[in-house]
Amino acid sequence: MPASGYRSALRSPTVRRLWIAAVTSTVGDYVGLGALLFLAADRTGVAVGAAGVLAVGVIPSLLTGVVAGPWLDRFNRTRTLSALQLIGAAVICLPVVIEGSVVVFVTAGLLACVRIATVAVRSGAMAEGIDDAHRGPLVALLSSTDQGSQVAGYLTGGALYVLVGAESALLLDAASFVVAAVILARLGLPEPEHREERRPVGAGIADIRRDPVLRPLAALVLVTGLVASLPEVLAPTVAGPDDPLRPVVLAAAPAGQVIAMTLLGRTRQMRRPRIQLLHLTLLGVILLLAALAGTPAAVAVVNLLIGAGTAWIIGPQITFLHRAPSLRMGQITGTMVAGLAVAEGVGSLSLAALADVAGTPTAYAAGGGVILLAALVGWTVRSRTAELIALDHPPDLAGDHGI
């Protein structure tokens, strides 16, 4: 078996190109999204305005992940990934050439489709073309890249929005898509000898429901999606347009995920359900503590900790890559990402509306209550499921106690 770890994984040309393309594309993506969030919040004047940028992608994401999911495993992974980046470049330019506020939300919805499809096809590429020992480090690298891109992208996008205007941030995003498309065109993944016939809509859900390990993990991940964007959605309300801490409050949660996922990426302990549930429980506690934060600076600190708490999902991601059939990985991943988009949209809108009515502390406390309830159910299911208990004591994790 190949050695695990970041350096070993990055020696693989496939791993390296997937990661570099992700860095390039996602930094630009969050530069554009940061500008869209501020633009929506300032034009509407309420937290729900920013939440709308995220929530508008719910239906398109669902259609892409579930309805279009059966097609995602039918096409060549390399060509599909490259083409999706070029589509993203065209979409992000829409607000530059079309005036009005509606186009902002249309753009956000279309970008959600591109994002869902990209993650689904990339997961298929990882399952088919990357050794198991390299998948864990790559998942951590991609997750850290995504969150690190949020930090850099939100800060850059927010600064460009304030100093120059939204158009500059959107055009920078378009350029990053094009560069990523060029990198992915050289991926050169081998075509599997056999591809399954196109499966019916909803088959990805059936695959997850049949697996006693994936089923409860998927449910807990979806519940986490309800609060995943809460720090970003509330940031424009916590810190006003003239507050110098506004970009910091916005970027704090992604920064926390970067730190946590980087530290956890090399340890195989995150494959243990018990460790995952401990991490999830900690997230619920942190959200409750966030309700006590009274200043933008304090909120930035707790947002950092919330981001570290949501990093627990790295474990389920690795578990899915290990247990789900590789030839169906695109549809299964598309189903999960679509479900997360729905959860994120519903949770963002609901908790933002609660913040507008009852204040941001109440929204944080409500999110913490939901997560702790889910964690309690998770502990109960684990204690009654032999397959989950067995995963806490696998032979290949013996002696693996650190990073």
Side-chain angles (χ1 to χ4, degrees):
M1 177 181 291
S4 61
Y6 294 128
R7 283 182 294 181
S8 175
L10 288 173
R11 291 192 188 103
S12 164
T14 302
V15 171
R16 189 166 57 249
R17 286 170 184 156
L18 278 172
W19 180 63
I20 293 174
V23 172
T24 305
S25 178
T26 54
V27 168
D29 200 14
Y30 287 113
V31 167
L33 183 57
L36 292 177
L37 282 170
F38 282 157
L39 187 62
D42 290 342
R43 287 186 177 181
T44 61
V46 293
V48 174
V53 172
L54 301 175
V56 74
V58 169
I59 300 301
S61 297
L62 191 62
L63 292 174
T64 302
V66 178
V67 179
W71 297 97
L72 296 177
D73 290 313
R74 300 292 300 154
F75 304 118
N76 178 274
R77 309 287 194 193
T78 298
R79 290 192 294 270
T80 303
L81 285 171
S82 186
L84 285 169
Q85 299 304 297
L86 295 177
I87 293 172
V91 168
I92 198 63
C93 290
L94 291 177
V96 177
V97 299
I98 302 176
E99 297 183 356
S101 58
V102 174
V103 70
V104 174
F105 297 101
V106 171
T107 298
L110 293 175
L111 285 177
C113 295
V114 173
R115 194 176 300 117
I116 297 292
T118 298
V119 172
V121 176
R122 187 172 63 198
S123 292
M126 292 168 61
E128 292 177 1
I130 295 177
D131 294 321
D132 179 63
H134 292 160
R135 290 174 190 162
L138 180 56
V139 167
L141 283 170
L142 290 172
S143 300
S144 298
T145 293
D146 185 74
Q147 300 307 310
S149 297
Q150 287 193 44
V151 177
Y154 282 152
L155 290 174
T156 303
L160 287 174
Y161 175 78
V162 172
L163 299 175
V164 184
E167 291 80 3
S168 59
L170 301 179
L171 290 174
L172 180 59
D173 189 5
S176 72
F177 272 121
V178 173
V179 173
V182 173
I183 296 172
L184 289 169
R186 301 180 62 246
L187 201 57
L189 288 170
E191 190 71 29
E193 295 181 1
H194 170 71
R195 287 224 182 264
E196 297 179 331
E197 294 296 325
R198 184 175 66 86
R199 307 176 73 227
V201 172
I205 298 175
D207 285 333
I208 295 170
R209 290 181 59 187
R210 281 194 295 266
D211 192 295
V213 171
L214 300 185
R215 183 172 60 249
L217 289 181
L220 293 176
V221 168
L222 293 179
V223 172
T224 303
L226 295 173
V227 303
S229 295
L230 183 61
E232 292 92 333
V233 167
L234 297 183
T237 303
V238 170
D242 298 326
D243 194 325
L245 286 177
R246 199 184 202 197
V248 178
V249 175
L250 180 66
Q257 273 209 359
V258 170
I259 295 169
M261 286 187 169
T262 301
L263 293 175
L264 297 172
R266 293 185 61 225
T267 176
R268 294 164 65 88
Q269 293 295 320
M270 285 305 297
R271 300 189 184 198
R272 297 180 187 265
R274 179 171 57 86
I275 300 299
Q276 295 170 22
L277 287 170
L278 284 171
H279 201 157
L280 179 64
T281 304
L282 180 62
L283 171 61
V285 173
I286 294 169
L287 281 164
L288 291 181
L289 293 176
L292 303 177
T295 66
V299 173
V301 172
V302 294
N303 281 354
L304 183 79
L305 296 176
I306 290 170
T310 57
W312 85 273
I313 64 173
I314 188 175
Q317 285 180 285
I318 297 171
T319 303
F320 265 74
L321 283 172
H322 180 70
R323 292 183 68 94
S326 61
L327 290 178
R328 289 179 248 163
M329 188 60 67
Q331 185 176 13
I332 293 172
T333 302
T335 298
M336 279 302 302
V337 178
L340 272 172
V342 173
E344 185 176 336
V346 171
S348 296
L349 280 176
S350 302
L351 293 174
L354 180 61
D356 285 332
V357 173
T360 56
T362 303
Y364 276 119
V370 169
I371 292 299
L372 286 177
L373 179 60
L376 177 61
V377 174
W379 283 109
T380 302
V381 171
R382 176 198 168 273
S383 68
R384 299 175 179 177
T385 306
E387 291 85 351
L388 287 169
I389 295 174
L391 284 178
D392 275 327
H393 307 285
D396 62 329
L397 291 186
D400 181 10
H401 300 294
I403 301 173

